[in-house]
């Protein structure tokens, strides 16, 4: 899960799960860099994901998320807010991360009420959301990725 869940932001949420996720949430052991530009939300979302057994790398903006990946973090899921403040937004971040990990699953979040342009194949979680909605969305994104992503040898 990403540290940017309940109010995702500049990050990536990666989930590395060996087993299929349960209906209520992602499988324990999933790993993810996550970003959120709002510190309190980033901490809260990271805590929710960690409590669910996920490995989280927090990032407050796209550059921090990319730094985690450059340092060796291998995401299975990128969970990011669309509006990350200065610098690349969440959609741009997903494009940057996919240059390195083409089969990466992406879960975008937004608190804006207006229609948001979500790239084809991406999932969107609207803020505010409850812990259960966050974990269900992460599980769904990971499950969708297992159905479409080629397995690594």
């Amino acid at each position: 899960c990403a540290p940017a869940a309940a109010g995702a932001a500049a990050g990536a949420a990666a989930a590395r799960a060996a087993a299929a996720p349960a209906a209520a949430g992602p499988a324990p052991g999933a790993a993810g860099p996550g970003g959120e530009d709002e510190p309190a939300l980033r901490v809260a979302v990271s805590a929710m994901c960690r409590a669910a057994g996920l490995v989280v790398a927090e990032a407050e903006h796209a550059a921090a998320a990319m730094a985690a990946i450059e340092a060796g973090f291998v995401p299975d899921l990128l969970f990011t807010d669309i509006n990350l403040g200065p610098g690349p937004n969440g959609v741009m971040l997903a494009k940057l991360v996919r240059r390195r990990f083409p089969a990466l699953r992406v879960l975008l979040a937004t608190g804006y009420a207006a229609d948001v342009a979500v790239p084809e194949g991406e999932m969107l979680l609207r803020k505010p959301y409850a812990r259960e909605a966050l974990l269900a969305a992460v599980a769904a994104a990971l499950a969708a990725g297992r159905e479409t992503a080629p397995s690594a040898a």
Side-chain angles (χ1 to χ4, degrees), residues 35-88:
E36 171 56 66
D37 58 342
E38 297 177 30
L41 182 54
R42 184 174 56 248
V43 169
V45 169
S46 295
M48 285 187 257
C49 291
R50 287 183 178 117
L54 302 173
V55 176
V56 177
E58 296 183 33
E60 72 178 77
H61 45 68
M66 291 304 298
I69 290 169
E70 292 300 322
F73 189 86
V74 179
D76 294 305
L77 171 68
L78 170 64
F79 176 64
T80 182
D81 193 1
I82 291 175
N83 183 9
L84 300 176

